[in-house]
Amino acid sequence: MDSTSQICQSRLPDSTALKQQQLPAYQLQLSATKVLTGFFITGAFCLGMGILLILSAKSTKEIEINYTDTCANCAKLRENAINFDKECTCSISFYLPETMQGNVYMYYKLYGFYQNLYPYILSRSNSQLMGRDIKDVGNCAPFSKSHNGTPIAPCGAIANSIFNDTIILSYNLNSSIHIKVPMLSSGIAWWTDKNIKFQNPSLNNLPSTFAGTTKPPYWPKPVYKLDEEDSVNNGFINEDFIVWMRTAAFPTFKKLYRRLNRIQYFTEGLPAGNYSFNITYNFPVTRFRGEKSVVLSTLTWSGGSSLFLGVTYTVTGAVTWLASFSMMAIHLMLNGRKTVYSQQ
């Protein structure tokens, strides 16, 4: 009996304020005045932040050139997959009405391309993209292996459908002098993607590293020849490839393609004047009734020209203030009734 009681006592928690749950506690006692003050302050903050974000987005300079119909001949050529190896180019001239000062970024924009379909998102091999197992193609159906059973690298539907138009921007001083605008293909991918999520199996001799694999069906060249001008920007760490592999949430989206190299004539940005895009048309969009554009844009402290965040803050602030005035009216009405009852 004594041993049983000793065992039960040994299981008891220590006689401390923490374990006996005897610590002092504080219970908030919020009055109507404090709650209303908090709501008004929150609403004012959201309204102010929303206005700042909208003004910031409005201050960006942006120009969009849709080349779906302008390059109609190339679009028709690309409708037939047999013509995948035939090069087709087109040129689009446009006028930039005012100088784009500071850093200028070039994007490609797609309309009606659904990167958010669940089977599409899953069709990739993260172990392959991280360089761990180059022949791991288990989750990449229907683009896992070629017709003769050779593993595809990179495998999957996302990689196979990469945007592969080549876009060159030229500054036209006059009808005979065209200056190629220097653009950088580096620094366009997220740091975490570039250094963590995407890695080559080996840093040396990429052709031998990818031996025993084949390119995706819709690619004109293998992954180790994506950038023939910069040997470092090849394989799974090619930044154009990394940008494409980060799937978009909506069917209309734009992705960073190039950024301005501010040298020579362009130290201050893009001057106003006549420009042209020279496009090698490879990515077909007419078969799914899509469109594509090139976007030149500047950025501010809050990002690009999207008004979504600013409108969201503004609407939240307005709704919060509306709720605040409603609660204040109810509070005053109830206080008035209490005063009448107390006088009676």
Side-chain angles (χ1 to χ4, degrees):
M1 190 74 178
D2 294 338
S3 61
T4 304
S5 62
Q6 288 178 358
I7 293 173
C8 292
Q9 289 179 358
S10 66
R11 293 178 178 176
L12 293 175
D14 296 336
S15 182
T16 61
L18 176 63
K19 293 187 176 181
Q20 295 296 330
Q21 298 184 6
Q22 294 176 349
L23 290 173
Y26 179 75
Q27 183 177 0
L28 290 175
Q29 296 180 352
L30 297 177
S31 63
T33 303
K34 293 179 180 179
V35 172
L36 288 173
T37 301
F39 266 77
F40 276 115
I41 292 174
T42 303
F45 171 78
C46 290
L47 280 174
M49 183 60 70
I51 293 171
L52 284 176
L53 289 171
I54 290 174
L55 292 176
S56 176
K58 291 280 189 181
S59 66
T60 61
K61 293 183 175 63
E62 181 176 297
I63 184 170
E64 178 178 346
I65 307 296
N66 190 312
Y67 63 96
T68 308
D69 296 330
T70 309
C71 302
N73 293 333
C74 293
K76 188 175 181 180
L77 182 72
R78 288 290 174 259
E79 287 182 358
N80 194 335
I82 299 176
N83 301 320
F84 78 95
D85 58 341
K86 296 180 180 179
E87 185 176 287
C88 187
T89 60
C90 62
S91 181
I92 304 170
S93 299
F94 66 97
Y95 179 73
L96 188 65
E98 53 183 336
T99 300
M100 286 185 168
Q101 293 185 343
N103 296 323
V104 181
Y105 301 87
M106 181 192 295
Y107 302 83
Y108 58 85
K109 188 173 184 178
L110 295 180
Y111 295 84
F113 191 94
Y114 289 82
Q115 275 198 317
N116 55 359
L117 297 177
Y118 190 62
Y120 181 88
I121 294 174
L122 294 181
S123 184
R124 61 186 291 163
S125 173
N126 289 324
S127 64
Q128 184 191 64
L129 296 173
M130 295 179 72
R132 295 174 180 172
D133 186 358
I134 197 173
K135 295 184 179 180
D136 179 12
V137 295
N139 298 324
C140 294
F143 301 101
S144 55
K145 295 183 179 181
S146 64
H147 63 279
N148 59 2
T150 305
I152 295 174
C155 66
I158 309 175
N160 185 61
S161 61
I162 188 173
F163 181 87
N164 56 351
D165 285 2
T166 302
I167 307 170
I168 297 175
L169 177 62
S170 297
Y171 178 47
N172 305 329
L173 286 176
N174 52 50
S175 58
S176 59
I177 301 177
H178 305 282
I179 302 173
K180 181 181 177 181
V181 179
M183 306 296 285
L184 297 173
S185 60
S186 60
I188 62 175
W190 289 22
W191 186 91
T192 51
D193 291 347
K194 176 77 172 178
N195 296 279
I196 299 175
K197 294 184 178 181
F198 293 83
Q199 292 293 319
N200 284 325
S202 173
L203 298 177
N204 300 319
N205 199 1
L206 286 182
S208 63
T209 300
F210 286 95
T213 64
T214 186
K215 65 180 180 62
Y218 293 169
W219 283 30
K221 50 189 175 182
V223 68
Y224 52 83
K225 291 185 178 179
L226 287 179
D227 192 343
E228 297 179 353
E229 296 180 359
D230 184 3
S231 59
V232 179
N233 190 35
N234 272 310
F236 295 149
I237 60 172
N238 176 268
E239 298 206 28
D240 287 323
F241 171 69
I242 293 174
V243 169
W244 177 258
M245 292 298 291
R246 179 170 284 276
T247 53
F250 301 101
T252 297
F253 60 88
K254 65 180 182 181
K255 291 178 181 282
L256 186 57
Y257 181 69
R258 294 290 182 267
R259 58 190 182 92
L260 178 66
N261 187 7
R262 295 167 61 181
I263 59 174
Q264 297 176 351
Y265 296 97
F266 310 100
T267 54
E268 301 297 326
L270 283 182
N274 294 307
Y275 290 84
S276 62
F277 284 121
N278 299 307
I279 300 170
T280 302
Y281 196 109
N282 295 312
F283 191 82
V285 293
T286 53
R287 294 186 67 180
F288 59 87
R289 298 180 182 179
E291 296 181 5
K292 52 184 178 179
S293 303
V294 187
V295 179
L296 292 174
S297 177
T298 59
L299 296 180
T300 62
W301 61 271
S302 62
S305 60
S306 176
L307 299 175
F308 176 79
L309 192 59
V311 171
T312 301
Y313 266 100
T314 305
V315 171
T316 303
V319 171
T320 304
W321 266 32
L322 181 63
S324 302
F325 282 114
S326 301
M327 289 189 293
M328 185 173 66
I330 294 172
H331 174 64
L332 293 176
M333 184 175 62
L334 292 177
N335 271 354
R337 288 182 182 179
K338 288 180 180 178
T339 304
V340 172
Y341 291 145
S342 63
Q343 289 177 354
Q344 290 178 351

